[in-house]
Amino acid sequence: MERMTKLTTEGYHPDTANLDLMSTAEIVKLMNEEDKKIPQAIAKVLPAIEQAIIAVVQALKNGGRLFYVGAGTSGRIGLLDAVECPPTFSTSPKLVQAILAGGSEAVMIAIEGAEDDLSLGEAELKKQQLTNRDVVIGIAASGRTPFVKGALIYAQQQGAKTISLVSNAHAVISQYADIKIEVITGPEILTGSTRLKAATAHKQILNMITTASMIKLGKVYKNLMVDVHASNFKLRERAKHIVCEVTGVTYSQAERVLEQTNFQVKLAIVMLLTNTTIEEATELLAQSEGHVRRAVALKKY
């Protein structure tokens, strides 16, 4: 196993030796300057991110699932992205899932030692009955976490697509990844605290992966959340405004149609743009694999 001292993320930042002596203003200015390096680091790995998105879209189209696997901060970042998919895109909670070393308790409390067990990563994916239709993204700033390594090894054995998301070059877990996203954000101002730049970069990349994947799956029309799960007052109001924006109807007309469709925004939009019934609009969306533009075009031609 690679020694931690050799890792870029464990490196000693040359400009922060007197961090404990700095004023508050100096600390936040320094952190802000360091954070400006994150987009530059991500820009260098955009081709790998694109490959990851293509793999995820293909898997989800074929009935597969996306799993994020990580320990500590990495696992929590995966969870944060996964739990936002159902309300934003009306996906099943099982479509994008996060697996944390130490289980659900690790969300709030650090479960020491769980990340060091190679077999636990495999065991967790076995519980999910992983198949060759699924995608597994192993997240580890160090790139060496045994829990994540074990999960990726097992995923490859099952024929699932594997992706590594790390912050060190030539990472250990990247050896078990079909696609390697190695975003090098450099030493942290607080030595080894990868909850800073490394974690921020990883969250931004996960934003890209799920958002772009859902766009490609037809869950966005123009730049609007037309598959939003309108489960509360705020989201129901958003749904009404989206329908108004797209179709030009009044607020009350949008409300009436949405009530008919049980607040399925895409269905309401297709009904209004094509002047069809719920049944006809449902069929148009089925034929277009859920893409609003294609559904509308089918009616026109």
Side-chain angles (χ1 to χ4, degrees), residues 2-12 141-144 168:
E2 184 179 6
R3 289 179 61 192
M4 294 289 286
T5 52
K6 291 183 179 179
L7 302 177
T8 302
T9 49
E10 295 293 320
Y12 191 72
S142 68
R144 53 164 297 284
N168 285 280

Side-chain angles (χ1 to χ4, degrees), residues 227-238:
D227 248 341
V228 63
H229 180 51
S231 58
N232 59 31
F233 176 78
K234 179 190 75 173
L235 295 177
R236 285 191 292 274
E237 288 300 297
R238 179 179 294 166

Side-chain angles (χ1 to χ4, degrees), residues 71-72 76 100-116:
R76 294 182 194 103
L100 282 70
S104 57
E105 290 181 17
V107 176
M108 300 298 294
I109 302 171
I111 307 297
E112 302 298 341
E115 67 179 72
D116 295 329

Side-chain angles (χ1 to χ4, degrees), residues 17 22 25 30-31 86 90 95 106 181 187-188 256 264:
M22 290 182 180
L30 177 61
M31 292 184 72
S90 288
L95 191 70
I181 305 175
E188 304 287 1
R256 185 165 61 251
Q264 295 179 66

Side-chain angles (χ1 to χ4, degrees), residues 143-156:
R144 53 164 297 284
T145 307
F147 178 84
V148 180
K149 177 182 173 181
L152 290 177
I153 291 172
Y154 177 73
Q156 282 198 328

Side-chain angles (χ1 to χ4, degrees), residues 4-291:
M4 294 289 286
T5 52
K6 291 183 179 179
L7 302 177
T8 302
T9 49
E10 295 293 320
Y12 191 72
H13 199 300
D15 298 330
T16 64
N18 295 318
L19 188 63
D20 58 330
L21 299 177
M22 290 182 180
S23 67
T24 302
E26 288 171 331
I27 293 170
V28 295
K29 181 180 179 181
L30 177 61
M31 292 184 72
N32 181 241
E33 289 299 318
E34 285 296 305
D35 285 345
K36 290 177 183 177
K37 298 176 182 178
I38 296 170
Q40 299 167 13
I42 293 174
K44 294 177 181 178
V45 296
L46 289 178
I49 296 171
E50 180 187 5
Q51 290 177 37
I53 292 165
I54 291 170
V56 170
V57 171
Q58 188 65 33
L60 299 187
K61 275 186 175 181
N62 291 330
R65 299 162 294 173
L66 170 59
F67 291 96
Y68 294 137
V69 180
T73 299
S74 295
R76 294 182 194 103
I77 286 173
L79 178 65
L80 183 62
D81 194 67
V83 299
E84 291 295 343
C85 288
T88 308
F89 303 111
S90 288
T91 58
S92 162
K94 294 187 180 297
L95 191 70
V96 182
Q97 299 183 49
I99 295 177
L100 282 70
S104 57
E105 290 181 17
V107 176
M108 300 298 294
I109 302 171
I111 307 297
E112 302 298 341
E115 67 179 72
D116 295 329
D117 193 326
L118 192 74
S119 65
L120 283 180
E122 174 180 342
E124 289 298 327
L125 286 180
K126 280 183 176 178
K127 288 180 185 177
Q128 301 301 325
Q129 299 181 318
L130 190 78
T131 75
N132 59 7
R133 293 184 298 177
D134 299 323
V135 177
V136 176
I137 300 182
I139 310 169
S142 68
R144 53 164 297 284
T145 307
F147 178 84
V148 180
K149 177 182 173 181
L152 290 177
I153 291 172
Y154 177 73
Q156 282 198 328
Q157 291 170 350
Q158 301 309 303
K161 198 77 171 179
T162 56
I163 300 166
S164 64
L165 176 55
V166 303
S167 293
N168 285 280
H170 313 297
V172 172
I173 70 168
S174 290
Q175 298 173 36
Y176 309 98
D178 301 310
I179 300 167
K180 306 166 181 60
I181 305 175
E182 298 184 333
V183 55
I184 313 304
T185 49
E188 304 287 1
I189 69 156
L190 181 62
T191 306
S193 183
T194 52
R195 57 181 281 274
L196 302 177
K197 287 188 299 184
T200 301
H202 290 181
K203 179 62 176 78
Q204 290 186 17
I205 290 170
L206 296 188
N207 286 348
M208 291 178 177
I209 291 172
T210 46
T211 304
S213 295
M214 296 303 169
I215 291 168
K216 292 300 179 181
L217 290 169
K219 294 184 172 295
V220 173
Y221 175 59
K222 297 186 175 180
N223 63 349
L224 299 169
M225 265 188 261
V226 293
D227 248 341
V228 63
H229 180 51
S231 58
N232 59 31
F233 176 78
K234 179 190 75 173
L235 295 177
R236 285 191 292 274
E237 288 300 297
R238 179 179 294 166
K240 295 170 193 176
H241 288 296
I242 288 172
V243 172
C244 291
E245 173 75 20
V246 173
T247 66
V249 299
T250 65
Y251 177 90
S252 58
Q253 288 173 316
E255 186 175 46
R256 185 165 61 251
V257 175
L258 280 167
E259 286 173 352
Q260 293 173 22
T261 66
N262 195 27
F263 274 82
Q264 295 179 66
V265 179
K266 276 201 299 193
L267 186 56
I269 289 172
V270 173
M271 284 176 63
L272 288 165
L273 290 182
T274 60
N275 193 28
T276 52
T277 64
I278 289 180
E279 292 75 21
E280 291 169 331
T282 299
E283 179 60 26
L284 288 171
L285 280 168
Q287 292 176 24
S288 66
E289 297 182 318
H291 290 259

